[in-house]
Amino acid sequence: MPQRRTRVLAVASAAVVALAVLGTQSGAEAGGRGGHGPKPAPKPTKVVVIVVDALSKEIVEKYDMGNVEALMKGGVDSPRSYLGHTGSVTVVTHNVITTGAQPKHMGWTTEGYRDVDGLLGAPGGLYLTSNFGLAQMAPLQQAAGYPHLSDYLDDTGKVFTVSPKGYAAYGLSGPGSPSTSTITFGSGPTCANPDGTTTRYRQPTGVNVPAYFSTACGSRWLARRDTIYDTGQPPAQLYPATDNRYVVGHDPAQQGGDVWAADAALEIMAQEGDGWSGIFVSLPGVDKAAHMWGGVNDPEAATPGYDPMTHMRYATATADAQVGRIVQALEDSGQLDDTLVVLTADHGSVAAAEGHFHGDVELENDYGYYNWYYGAPVNDVPYQRPQDALLPLIEGTDDGTGATNVGFSYSDSSLNVWLKDQSPTAVTAAATIMKDLPDVTAVWKRHGDHYDRVTPVRWDRMRTWGERIWFAAKAQELVDTQAAGYGPDLVATLPDNTTYSVAGDHGGIQRAAQQIPIVFAGGGLSSQDLRGEVRSVDIMPTILRAMGIRATHPMDGVAYELPTRKRGHR
């Protein structure tokens, strides 16, 4: 178990008292005559973290997400915020948010992982991290040695994590303790229907799941399976919605997706009263719609057999409503001023433009997995149907036995490659091939705790000056955040609006993937914005500072001071 946290107590020393008596601070500075004006608001003792998966600033603006925009306006916004790391993917960022650790220090860096220390039982083996559950994440988290936010909070109240995605939930919560609960979706029962048919459901599962989340047939907490809506056609068919884990569904009595997650958070608040100190909620609906339909390029009503429920406009409106419900519940219970609310995303969404989608499209459900992955990961089936765009790398490298030297690759809006033979000659040979793959802007080779760029930058493949300026300012910083022995040997960056996987994706350095909202609200905060370039890794130390909690382990992030209202001022 990581070290426990220590709360910093505000103690008035004799020296401070003496300075006040001597009039060192003027009455105006003290907030009124004699220093008896408004005083700083007390520090919050609770925190709610809401992660809207794939929510870029571009999406917030395009879809007019009123509740999110209200938090930005009324709370402490960070207009220059960005994700600040690669891979910009769910399985990484949820863990970054609640640890303050960059991927190269947290145990895994993206959706591929090399088990260099044999922590998962296959020394040198290559794994797929989006298949990780608690049993796989916990050894990596514990070996890295950092505490999670839940470890700082769980001796002042219970801590709850809610997410329909298991790996997102366990990233946010960490290994946990008896005072930590993680609620996610697992496979569930097959229940009888009045007409004699049966329906399969997903049910709540996880760690220390409260008994009030019933798993019985008919429970509100079950979500229907075997429903595909309008997603069994391109481009959504690459990663279709096959149940109500990420989609709300048409049954008002058993809604799934973001509504399920928000309902669970509200149920926790209602059942636990004042006995909780942290609630972390992940809303995955926007992410699913963006992957399927290309994010801001979603064709919406032009889709044959159009069902609004699976598309971006419905998903963004639904997520926005859940944000509003959670904040309103805190207000209604009188807990908002004692609760720090953090709203953010795990990454943005890159929408593939015409001519810049380099995946293969086959008319079979979930074919996108063959675009994302190549290789034979220890913890999954083999993926050995690479897209045509990647074939030069697969066929052009040799591990010394006549087979490809690519042990595993993960392709989204960047290309990440783990080689079997990691010798300098083999790495150079692979990099030479990668630089000529479609739309590659540069290739980077891991060198200790950073990446060396080993090919010229293809500025001509970037279509705007804004993109070129962003690349010049951020590419090296972002790629370096995954420089660890378990990370990829080679990374190829791609331009804006380019994916090798599905219509809308994440993973890379693009502004659409990186520019996400990071907002702090409630907890007696003012509406004054932060001027700094706040990153996801800064969220954890900033939360601890705002709550007056002293960190017991070094973090990679910056602890920003959040401006507060004076007590008695609204």
Side-chain angles (χ1 to χ4, degrees):
M1 187 70 186
Q3 298 182 49
R4 309 296 295 177
R5 67 103 171 99
T6 303
R7 182 171 292 278
V8 178
L9 299 178
V11 179
S13 68
V16 172
V17 174
L19 287 174
V21 171
L22 290 171
T24 304
Q25 187 177 40
S26 72
E29 290 170 330
R33 184 183 299 275
H36 296 295
K39 299 178 181 179
K43 293 184 181 297
T45 63
K46 302 176 184 291
V47 60
V48 170
V49 178
I50 306 171
V51 184
V52 182
D53 293 8
L55 188 66
S56 66
K57 293 181 181 180
E58 177 185 26
I59 288 172
V60 172
E61 182 175 352
K62 173 168 181 175
Y63 292 99
D64 193 21
M65 298 178 70
N67 290 313
V68 171
E69 291 170 332
L71 275 187
M72 289 178 167
K73 183 177 180 180
V76 180
D77 192 14
S78 50
R80 301 173 65 205
S81 62
Y82 66 107
L83 192 70
H85 61 262
T86 54
S88 51
V89 294
T90 301
V91 72
V92 171
T93 306
H94 282 71
N95 200 71
V96 169
I97 289 169
T98 54
T99 64
Q102 291 284 20
K104 65 181 180 181
H105 296 143
M106 68 174 232
W108 65 97
T109 69
T110 187
E111 292 210 27
Y113 167 76
R114 191 192 301 273
D115 192 11
V116 290
D117 295 321
L119 296 172
L120 300 183
L126 294 164
Y127 288 77
L128 184 57
T129 61
S130 56
N131 281 352
F132 282 180
L134 182 61
Q136 294 75 39
M137 281 191 176
L140 307 186
Q141 293 163 331
Q142 290 166 342
Y146 47 71
H148 274 72
L149 180 54
S150 59
D151 297 311
Y152 289 95
L153 298 174
D154 65 4
D155 60 351
T156 60
K158 297 178 182 178
V159 181
F160 298 86
T161 298
V162 178
S163 175
K165 294 181 181 178
Y167 58 85
Y170 296 123
L172 281 172
S173 65
S177 73
S179 296
T180 304
S181 297
T182 305
I183 304 104
T184 184
F185 267 138
S187 58
T190 299
C191 300
N193 300 319
D195 62 2
T197 62
T198 59
T199 301
R200 295 197 309 160
Y201 289 91
R202 291 194 178 276
Q203 66 183 22
T205 187
V207 177
N208 298 327
V209 178
Y212 47 81
F213 289 108
S214 169
T215 61
C217 287
S219 164
R220 180 272 167 275
W221 304 112
L222 300 188
R224 186 185 181 103
R225 301 180 71 176
D226 306 317
T227 304
I228 200 166
Y229 304 101
D230 61 349
T231 68
Q233 59 185 315
Q237 191 174 26
L238 289 169
Y239 184 47
T242 54
D243 60 24
N244 292 348
R245 185 192 302 200
Y246 308 137
V247 176
V248 173
H250 292 300
D251 183 352
Q254 292 177 315
Q255 292 181 308
D258 290 2
V259 176
W260 180 89
D263 280 358
L266 299 188
E267 184 73 10
I268 290 164
M269 292 181 194
Q271 294 280 351
E272 302 294 336
D274 198 44
W276 61 274
S277 57
I279 299 176
F280 314 145
V281 187
S282 175
L283 305 177
V286 173
D287 178 82
K288 185 65 173 178
H291 279 308
M292 291 191 297
W293 300 112
V296 294
N297 290 342
D298 189 334
E300 292 286 347
T303 304
Y306 175 56
D307 189 327
M309 186 167 291
T310 74
H311 290 262
M312 285 292 292
R313 192 163 301 281
Y314 186 100
T316 53
T318 300
D320 189 62
Q322 307 323 304
V323 171
R325 292 177 65 215
I326 292 169
V327 174
Q328 187 62 52
L330 291 169
E331 178 73 38
D332 291 345
S333 68
Q335 297 183 95
L336 185 58
D337 280 345
D338 190 38
T339 303
L340 178 63
V341 178
V342 182
L343 173 71
T344 190
D346 53 353
H347 53 76
S349 179
V350 176
E354 185 175 357
H356 297 280
F357 174 69
H358 301 300
D360 290 347
V361 177
E362 297 290 341
L363 297 181
E364 59 181 272
N365 291 346
D366 285 321
Y367 192 84
Y369 286 102
Y370 291 102
N371 291 333
W372 274 316
Y373 312 125
Y374 174 82
V378 174
N379 60 336
D380 205 345
V381 299
Y383 294 96
Q384 294 177 336
R385 296 160 69 180
Q387 57 270 69
D388 289 345
L390 203 64
L391 279 177
L393 175 66
I394 306 302
E395 296 177 346
T397 58
D398 191 328
D399 67 355
T401 69
T404 180
N405 194 35
V406 177
F408 187 75
S409 72
Y410 170 60
S411 306
D412 49 12
S413 66
S414 67
L415 307 179
N416 304 270
V417 176
W418 290 255
L419 299 174
K420 302 174 190 174
D421 178 359
Q422 297 173 279
S423 67
T425 299
V427 172
T428 298
T432 300
I433 296 171
M434 289 176 71
K435 72 179 178 62
D436 293 323
L437 297 180
D439 274 334
V440 167
T441 56
V443 180
W444 314 71
K445 176 181 72 174
R446 184 169 51 81
H447 183 188
D449 65 353
H450 67 279
Y451 280 85
D452 292 333
R453 183 171 53 79
V454 294
T455 67
V457 178
R458 291 294 303 270
W459 301 105
D460 58 305
R461 291 181 170 176
M462 303 179 206
R463 295 179 285 282
T464 68
W465 279 110
E467 179 179 5
R468 294 167 190 152
I469 292 169
W470 177 263
F471 183 98
K474 300 297 183 186
Q476 184 74 58
E477 169 200 338
L478 295 171
V479 171
D480 281 349
T481 61
Q482 60 175 330
Y486 45 76
D489 300 307
L490 291 166
V491 175
T493 48
L494 302 174
D496 287 353
N497 308 118
T498 302
T499 75
Y500 269 61
S501 47
V502 292
D505 216 349
H506 44 41
I509 67 168
Q510 297 90 342
R511 290 168 295 173
Q514 290 285 327
Q515 292 179 332
I516 62 165
I518 298 178
V519 186
F520 302 90
L525 298 184
S526 76
S527 57
Q528 179 181 340
D529 292 344
L530 295 175
R531 297 180 180 179
E533 290 188 310
V534 184
R535 307 158 299 166
S536 297
V537 74
D538 302 327
I539 293 173
M540 169 73 161
T542 299
I543 289 173
L544 295 186
R545 180 171 181 169
M547 299 183 75
I549 298 173
R550 187 176 66 217
T552 60
H553 189 277
M555 290 177 282
D556 294 318
V558 174
Y560 285 88
E561 182 176 2
L562 300 177
T564 59
R565 299 191 308 267
K566 299 298 183 181
R567 189 162 50 190
H569 284 191
R570 298 298 293 179

